[in-house]
Amino acid sequence: MTGVKDFIRRLCKNRLTVVCLILFVLIVLAVIFANFIAPYGWDEGEVVNRYLAPSAEHLCGTDNYGRDIFSRILYGGRMSLEIGLISAVVTTVVGAIIGATSAYFGGKFDNVVMRVLDVFMAMPPILLAIAIAATLGTGMMNTMLAVIISGIPMKARVARGPVLALRNQEFVEAATASNSSTAKIIFKHIIPNILAPLIVQTTLSISGAIVSVAGLSFLGLGVQPPAPEWGAMLSAGRSYLRDYPWMVIAPGIAMLLTLFSLNIVGDGVRDALDPKLRD
């Protein structure tokens, strides 16, 4: 508990991090309670209300189908954040297991695993996600799988480095001498000691996952219309950018605020967990 309190104290010393954390929490609460906050349904619209500019009745205007953009942003944020959060957590967990196992056994096994990961890392994550999504097809689950698979190699690399330094430590040798199973050594003794960098990576990778999801949807390979998703909304509104810019600006600002707050919080968490910065 002392370590947790110390972490919270250091995190709260950074005012920008606290402000961005509050902003992100507000965004999460807004999308969770979209059913109560949104003035209209995400698919509710009338042709006579098409292309209405932002007003008191429609805070962010309406789209080409007469649907309220503010309501669609709230419902779309639910989908974007859900896919982003789940993808980031799963990617970090799977990557940590692969990286820790590879580093623990070392030798030829480590070389084979790393060479396989190098093949995937030879392609930028977003291009790899596009290739996977194009192979699997569109839809929420396939989009999530594409983001997860494309992010695993980097997370495995991040986990592998600290484990290489830990595997020869005395507490690991003691666990091995006591006939502890390999799984117990990895999950009970090694992974808990690399939680700090994993937490930081998870926090920072959430924004990357959201961008990947939005990018796939923007290209037509992710969540498909009429389902509300920020990337899909940007893609649908780009044809009307000159005449009705609010169709792109509103979801763009929502994504910008979310990504900015997440990145600042991720940097704050990293600094708070860094032992070199402890007072």
Side-chain angles (χ1 to χ4, degrees):
M1 290 300 295
T2 303
V4 175
K5 292 181 179 179
D6 192 35
F7 164 74
I8 295 175
R9 179 183 62 81
R10 292 195 303 273
L11 188 67
C12 291
K13 288 176 64 177
N14 190 328
R15 295 183 179 179
L16 180 59
T17 299
V18 174
V19 171
C20 289
L21 180 60
I22 294 173
L23 175 61
F24 179 68
V25 170
L26 291 176
I27 293 173
V28 172
L29 291 176
V31 301
I32 289 176
F33 296 102
N35 293 341
F36 305 97
I37 299 176
Y40 305 92
W42 64 268
D43 59 346
E44 180 183 345
E46 298 180 3
V47 178
V48 295
N49 290 329
R50 293 191 306 166
Y51 310 123
L52 294 180
S55 62
E57 185 177 358
H58 300 281
L59 295 179
C60 298
T62 61
D63 62 9
N64 52 316
Y65 292 103
R67 298 171 298 192
D68 183 67
I69 295 177
F70 177 69
S71 300
R72 287 180 60 79
I73 288 174
L74 293 178
Y75 284 103
R78 179 183 297 178
M79 185 171 295
S80 298
L81 290 177
E82 180 181 355
I83 298 177
L85 288 169
I86 294 176
S87 299
V89 172
V90 173
T91 298
T92 302
V93 171
V94 176
I97 294 174
I98 294 175
T101 303
S102 176
Y104 177 76
F105 285 106
K108 293 183 178 179
F109 179 77
D110 183 42
N111 287 331
V112 171
V113 173
M114 288 300 105
R115 297 298 78 78
V116 172
L117 294 179
D118 286 342
V119 172
F120 286 96
M121 293 183 65
M123 186 181 298
I126 185 61
L127 293 182
L128 180 59
I130 291 173
I132 296 172
T135 302
L136 296 177
T138 60
M140 179 175 175
M141 289 303 301
N142 289 339
T143 301
M144 192 180 301
L145 282 175
V147 175
I148 290 173
I149 295 173
S150 63
I152 286 176
M154 181 59 69
K155 299 303 183 295
R157 282 284 189 178
V158 171
R160 177 176 177 268
V163 176
L164 287 174
L166 287 173
R167 66 179 183 176
N168 295 322
Q169 294 293 320
E170 294 180 354
F171 67 91
V172 176
E173 294 179 352
T176 304
S178 62
N179 294 324
S180 296
S181 64
T182 301
K184 184 177 181 180
I185 293 174
I186 292 175
F187 288 100
K188 185 177 180 180
H189 299 284
I190 292 181
I191 289 183
N193 283 280
I194 62 172
L195 278 180
L198 291 181
I199 292 173
V200 173
Q201 282 298 315
T202 301
T203 306
L204 293 174
S205 62
I206 293 174
S207 58
I210 293 175
V211 170
S212 297
V213 172
L216 292 175
S217 298
F218 184 85
L219 296 173
L221 297 172
V223 180
Q224 297 297 298
E229 196 278 329
W230 290 342
M233 293 177 66
L234 290 173
S235 179
R238 60 180 173 171
S239 301
Y240 307 93
L241 181 59
R242 176 173 297 182
D243 298 320
Y244 313 108
W246 57 84
M247 291 179 60
V248 174
I249 292 176
I253 291 177
M255 184 179 295
L256 174 65
L257 291 176
T258 303
L259 297 179
F260 175 77
S261 60
L262 273 172
N263 287 332
I264 296 299
V265 170
D267 289 340
V269 171
R270 179 192 59 198
D271 294 342
L273 291 174
D274 191 345
K276 297 179 182 179
L277 299 178
R278 294 180 182 177
D279 47 24

